[in-house]
mmCIF file of all heavy atoms in Angstrom:
data_model
loop_
_atom_site.group_PDB
_atom_site.id
_atom_site.type_symbol
_atom_site.label_atom_id
_atom_site.label_comp_id
_atom_site.label_asym_id
_atom_site.label_seq_id
_atom_site.Cartn_x
_atom_site.Cartn_y
_atom_site.Cartn_z
ATOM 1 N N VAL A 266 -58.204 -0.283 21.116
ATOM 2 C CA VAL A 266 -59.201 0.787 21.041
ATOM 3 C C VAL A 266 -60.328 0.545 22.039
ATOM 4 O O VAL A 266 -60.704 1.451 22.808
ATOM 5 C CB VAL A 266 -59.769 0.898 19.606
ATOM 6 C CG1 VAL A 266 -60.994 1.816 19.583
ATOM 7 C CG2 VAL A 266 -58.712 1.414 18.646
ATOM 8 N N ALA A 269 -59.107 0.855 25.816
ATOM 9 C CA ALA A 269 -58.844 2.249 26.185
ATOM 10 C C ALA A 269 -60.149 3.039 26.288
ATOM 11 O O ALA A 269 -60.335 3.838 27.224
ATOM 12 C CB ALA A 269 -57.904 2.887 25.167
ATOM 13 N N LYS A 270 -61.059 2.806 25.335
ATOM 14 C CA LYS A 270 -62.339 3.532 25.379
ATOM 15 C C LYS A 270 -63.160 3.126 26.598
ATOM 16 O O LYS A 270 -63.879 3.966 27.180
ATOM 17 C CB LYS A 270 -63.136 3.250 24.101
ATOM 18 C CG LYS A 270 -64.338 4.179 23.910
ATOM 19 C CD LYS A 270 -63.915 5.631 23.823
ATOM 20 C CE LYS A 270 -64.994 6.532 23.210
ATOM 21 N NZ LYS A 270 -66.229 6.542 23.931
ATOM 22 N N ILE A 273 -61.904 5.230 29.379
ATOM 23 C CA ILE A 273 -62.377 6.605 29.216
ATOM 24 C C ILE A 273 -63.847 6.719 29.614
ATOM 25 O O ILE A 273 -64.248 7.611 30.372
ATOM 26 C CB ILE A 273 -62.170 7.067 27.760
ATOM 27 C CG1 ILE A 273 -60.674 7.141 27.421
ATOM 28 C CG2 ILE A 273 -62.841 8.410 27.509
ATOM 29 C CD1 ILE A 273 -60.370 7.342 25.955
ATOM 30 N N GLU A 428 -51.522 7.895 29.403
ATOM 31 C CA GLU A 428 -51.140 6.808 28.492
ATOM 32 C C GLU A 428 -52.378 6.204 27.829
ATOM 33 O O GLU A 428 -52.341 5.849 26.644
ATOM 34 C CB GLU A 428 -50.364 5.729 29.237
ATOM 35 C CG GLU A 428 -49.899 4.596 28.329
ATOM 36 C CD GLU A 428 -49.401 3.369 29.070
ATOM 37 O OE1 GLU A 428 -49.069 3.481 30.276
ATOM 38 O OE2 GLU A 428 -49.343 2.281 28.450
ATOM 39 N N VAL A 429 -53.457 6.074 28.571
ATOM 40 C CA VAL A 429 -54.690 5.526 28.009
ATOM 41 C C VAL A 429 -55.173 6.409 26.856
ATOM 42 O O VAL A 429 -55.576 5.904 25.798
ATOM 43 C CB VAL A 429 -55.779 5.410 29.097
ATOM 44 C CG1 VAL A 429 -57.106 4.977 28.491
ATOM 45 C CG2 VAL A 429 -55.344 4.428 30.183
ATOM 46 N N LEU A 430 -55.132 7.720 27.038
ATOM 47 C CA LEU A 430 -55.550 8.641 25.980
ATOM 48 C C LEU A 430 -54.644 8.502 24.758
ATOM 49 O O LEU A 430 -55.117 8.484 23.610
ATOM 50 C CB LEU A 430 -55.530 10.078 26.493
ATOM 51 C CG LEU A 430 -56.468 10.404 27.670
ATOM 52 C CD1 LEU A 430 -56.359 11.885 28.036
ATOM 53 C CD2 LEU A 430 -57.907 10.040 27.347
ATOM 54 N N LEU A 431 -53.354 8.397 24.992
ATOM 55 C CA LEU A 431 -52.404 8.222 23.895
ATOM 56 C C LEU A 431 -52.635 6.900 23.170
ATOM 57 O O LEU A 431 -52.559 6.824 21.937
ATOM 58 C CB LEU A 431 -50.972 8.285 24.437
ATOM 59 C CG LEU A 431 -50.516 9.660 24.922
ATOM 60 C CD1 LEU A 431 -49.277 9.517 25.798
ATOM 61 C CD2 LEU A 431 -50.236 10.592 23.749
ATOM 62 N N THR A 432 -52.910 5.854 23.924
ATOM 63 C CA THR A 432 -53.173 4.549 23.335
ATOM 64 C C THR A 432 -54.425 4.581 22.466
ATOM 65 O O THR A 432 -54.440 4.044 21.351
ATOM 66 C CB THR A 432 -53.319 3.481 24.433
ATOM 67 O OG1 THR A 432 -52.073 3.346 25.123
ATOM 68 C CG2 THR A 432 -53.718 2.130 23.853
ATOM 69 N N TYR A 433 -55.480 5.212 22.974
ATOM 70 C CA TYR A 433 -56.712 5.293 22.188
ATOM 71 C C TYR A 433 -56.468 6.033 20.872
ATOM 72 O O TYR A 433 -56.915 5.588 19.804
ATOM 73 C CB TYR A 433 -57.806 5.987 22.998
ATOM 74 C CG TYR A 433 -59.110 6.089 22.245
ATOM 75 C CD1 TYR A 433 -59.920 4.973 22.065
ATOM 76 C CD2 TYR A 433 -59.514 7.297 21.688
ATOM 77 C CE1 TYR A 433 -61.115 5.056 21.355
ATOM 78 C CE2 TYR A 433 -60.715 7.388 20.973
ATOM 79 C CZ TYR A 433 -61.497 6.267 20.815
ATOM 80 O OH TYR A 433 -62.673 6.343 20.103
ATOM 81 N N ALA A 434 -55.738 7.140 20.931
ATOM 82 C CA ALA A 434 -55.476 7.925 19.721
ATOM 83 C C ALA A 434 -54.636 7.133 18.727
ATOM 84 O O ALA A 434 -54.965 7.061 17.531
ATOM 85 C CB ALA A 434 -54.774 9.231 20.091
ATOM 86 N N GLU A 435 -53.563 6.526 19.207
ATOM 87 C CA GLU A 435 -52.672 5.805 18.292
ATOM 88 C C GLU A 435 -53.343 4.566 17.715
ATOM 89 O O GLU A 435 -53.245 4.301 16.501
ATOM 90 C CB GLU A 435 -51.373 5.418 19.002
ATOM 91 C CG GLU A 435 -50.385 4.755 18.065
ATOM 92 C CD GLU A 435 -49.087 4.335 18.741
ATOM 93 O OE1 GLU A 435 -48.854 4.720 19.916
ATOM 94 O OE2 GLU A 435 -48.286 3.614 18.092
ATOM 95 N N ALA A 436 -54.001 3.794 18.559
ATOM 96 C CA ALA A 436 -54.649 2.571 18.077
ATOM 97 C C ALA A 436 -55.755 2.905 17.080
ATOM 98 O O ALA A 436 -55.941 2.195 16.081
ATOM 99 C CB ALA A 436 -55.205 1.769 19.247
ATOM 100 N N THR A 437 -56.491 3.975 17.334
ATOM 101 C CA THR A 437 -57.533 4.401 16.406
ATOM 102 C C THR A 437 -56.933 4.754 15.047
ATOM 103 O O THR A 437 -57.433 4.327 13.993
ATOM 104 C CB THR A 437 -58.302 5.610 16.974
ATOM 105 O OG1 THR A 437 -58.973 5.217 18.172
ATOM 106 C CG2 THR A 437 -59.329 6.125 15.985
ATOM 107 N N TYR A 438 -55.850 5.525 15.062
ATOM 108 C CA TYR A 438 -55.224 5.920 13.803
ATOM 109 C C TYR A 438 -54.646 4.709 13.074
ATOM 110 O O TYR A 438 -54.806 4.556 11.857
ATOM 111 C CB TYR A 438 -54.128 6.958 14.044
ATOM 112 C CG TYR A 438 -53.560 7.494 12.750
ATOM 113 C CD1 TYR A 438 -54.145 8.585 12.116
ATOM 114 C CD2 TYR A 438 -52.482 6.877 12.140
ATOM 115 C CE1 TYR A 438 -53.660 9.053 10.911
ATOM 116 C CE2 TYR A 438 -51.987 7.330 10.930
ATOM 117 C CZ TYR A 438 -52.574 8.426 10.320
ATOM 118 O OH TYR A 438 -52.094 8.873 9.114
ATOM 119 N N ASP A 448 -61.948 12.888 18.193
ATOM 120 C CA ASP A 448 -61.102 11.986 18.978
ATOM 121 C C ASP A 448 -59.769 12.636 19.336
ATOM 122 O O ASP A 448 -59.191 12.329 20.393
ATOM 123 C CB ASP A 448 -60.876 10.682 18.217
ATOM 124 C CG ASP A 448 -62.031 9.698 18.383
ATOM 125 O OD1 ASP A 448 -62.786 9.834 19.368
ATOM 126 O OD2 ASP A 448 -62.183 8.805 17.533
ATOM 127 N N LEU A 451 -60.516 14.578 22.359
ATOM 128 C CA LEU A 451 -60.714 13.685 23.496
ATOM 129 C C LEU A 451 -59.392 13.223 24.097
ATOM 130 O O LEU A 451 -59.315 12.931 25.295
ATOM 131 C CB LEU A 451 -61.534 12.462 23.044
ATOM 132 C CG LEU A 451 -61.834 11.378 24.080
ATOM 133 C CD1 LEU A 451 -62.794 11.897 25.139
ATOM 134 C CD2 LEU A 451 -62.411 10.141 23.399
ATOM 135 N N THR A 452 -58.345 13.189 23.288
ATOM 136 C CA THR A 452 -57.093 12.548 23.700
ATOM 137 C C THR A 452 -55.892 13.488 23.606
ATOM 138 O O THR A 452 -55.499 14.109 24.597
ATOM 139 C CB THR A 452 -56.852 11.307 22.816
ATOM 140 O OG1 THR A 452 -56.840 11.695 21.423
ATOM 141 C CG2 THR A 452 -57.939 10.270 23.024
#
Side-chain angles (χ1 to χ4, degrees):
V266 169
K270 192 60 162 60
I273 295 170
E428 182 193 341
V429 174
L430 299 182
L431 290 163
T432 296
Y433 181 74
E435 184 181 350
T437 296
Y438 186 88
D448 278 339
L451 179 68
T452 57

